Amino acid sequence: MVAFTRSIPQTLAAFGYLNLFNDVGCKLTIFCFRAFRGLSISLTCMLCVYQAVAISPATSRLAPLKISIPKHLQYIIIFLYVLYYSTSVTTALNAVSSLFNNTIPPYTFNLEYCFVVGKEYFVYISMSFGVMCRDLLFILSMIVMSGYILRLLYHHGKKMKNILSSDNSQKGRRAEAKASRAVVTLVILYIVFFGIDNIIWVYSLTISRVALLISDIRDFFATLYTSVCPIVVITTNPKVQRKLKLVKMKKEAQPTESSTHTM
């Protein structure tokens, strides 16, 4: 949805397709992009917290959450949807498809196909920093929980060295190493993409008119961590890998079966 509501219109505008939307279309597109962008961060954070709680030992302070989180999971998801939908309304209402006399007023984000007009500087700055702090809270929570997961995996690996035989221990270490690399990769991607996105965002707040190139670069990184990170989660999932292997084996078996029938 993030790619659909931001990357595709941005690409079409870069190739010269202007006036893609009217005012209503601009408001809806901006609203969906901001809501789904935030949900990609918060839901991934929730997944990370859920995994950390699930593998935490019974003596951990997180142990009581093993029962309460599954019970309230649907309410947590609903809360996140309401949070990001409600906080995306104001920005969407300020979106327009065209400007009077084609003059870009100060504190306006030019997306080429739409414009987000900031009416008052104080409101513009406070809302921008509010959005950044909201997303940063989820990112920091994800970093803390990912570090906790890596710590548990490390201690588990040390215990397995003393319990299992050498061959089984090597297999266990390989599985733990894969899980650790997946967690580290995901966290690094979020830190890098989110960091670059928000550095450009803060810089944009310090100038009255944002250049198109700066806006394009920020949009690129804003869509990266909402599209690349889920791919990392999927490709590092053992269940998905087993499914892909089964599909590959079925495709390889089909020519053999057809040749047998021909003979």
Side-chain angles (χ1 to χ4, degrees):
M1 290 303 297
V2 167
F4 182 75
T5 56
R6 177 56 67 90
S7 299
I8 294 176
Q10 198 82 32
T11 303
L12 291 174
F15 280 102
Y17 290 91
L18 304 178
N19 302 319
L20 295 173
F21 307 104
N22 56 16
D23 285 353
V24 176
C26 280
K27 295 180 191 304
L28 184 61
T29 303
I30 299 299
F31 174 78
C32 290
F33 167 73
R34 293 184 68 86
F36 288 123
R37 172 187 173 277
L39 284 169
S40 70
I41 299 173
S42 60
L43 291 175
T44 306
C45 175
M46 188 193 70
L47 173 64
C48 186
V49 173
Y50 191 86
Q51 288 175 330
V53 170
I55 66 173
S56 63
T59 56
S60 171
R61 293 180 180 179
L62 298 176
L65 297 176
K66 290 186 178 183
I67 300 175
S68 60
I69 286 183
K71 286 183 178 180
H72 303 93
L73 190 59
Q74 58 183 343
Y75 301 109
I76 296 173
I77 295 175
I78 292 172
F79 169 76
L80 293 176
Y81 269 83
V82 172
L83 172 66
Y84 277 96
Y85 281 156
S86 60
T87 54
S88 301
V89 170
T90 304
T91 304
L93 292 176
N94 293 330
V96 293
S97 60
S98 59
L99 298 170
F100 182 72
N101 289 334
N102 292 325
T103 302
I104 301 177
Y107 313 114
T108 297
F109 281 100
N110 182 5
L111 303 176
E112 297 183 66
Y113 57 91
C114 287
F115 303 89
V116 180
V117 182
K119 296 181 180 180
E120 294 183 8
Y121 180 72
F122 177 76
V123 177
Y124 171 79
I125 291 293
S126 59
M127 289 188 62
S128 299
F129 273 102
V131 169
M132 186 180 69
C133 293
R134 178 200 62 190
D135 294 340
L136 184 62
L137 179 63
F138 287 107
I139 293 292
L140 291 176
S141 300
M142 185 162 43
I143 292 173
V144 171
M145 288 301 173
S146 297
Y148 178 71
I149 291 173
L150 288 177
R151 178 171 165 270
L152 290 178
L153 289 174
Y154 173 74
H155 288 296
H156 178 68
K158 290 179 67 176
K159 289 181 181 178
M160 295 300 285
K161 287 181 183 179
N162 301 326
I163 297 174
L164 298 178
S165 63
S166 60
D167 184 52
N168 290 334
S169 178
Q170 289 178 0
K171 290 181 180 179
R173 285 199 297 270
R174 284 197 295 267
E176 288 157 9
K178 288 181 179 179
S180 300
R181 283 196 296 269
V183 173
V184 171
T185 301
L186 190 64
V187 173
I188 290 175
L189 284 173
Y190 262 97
I191 293 173
V192 172
F193 295 154
F194 183 83
I196 295 175
D197 177 16
N198 282 274
I199 288 172
I200 300 173
W201 173 254
V202 172
Y203 170 74
S204 302
L205 298 178
T206 62
I207 56 179
S208 59
R209 287 182 173 82
V210 182
L212 285 177
L213 179 61
I214 295 175
S215 180
D216 289 342
I217 293 173
R218 180 174 176 265
D219 287 336
F220 174 72
F221 283 100
T223 55
L224 266 183
Y225 63 79
T226 55
S227 55
V228 175
C229 293
I231 295 174
V232 173
V233 175
I234 293 170
T235 54
T236 55
N237 191 308
K239 293 182 179 180
V240 176
Q241 293 178 0
R242 285 196 295 269
K243 290 286 185 180
L244 293 175
K245 286 181 180 179
L246 288 173
V247 171
K248 184 178 180 181
M249 290 171 62
K250 288 180 180 180
K251 287 184 178 180
E252 291 176 350
Q254 285 178 354
T256 307
E257 292 177 358
S258 59
S259 60
T260 304
H261 287 306
T262 305
M263 293 176 62

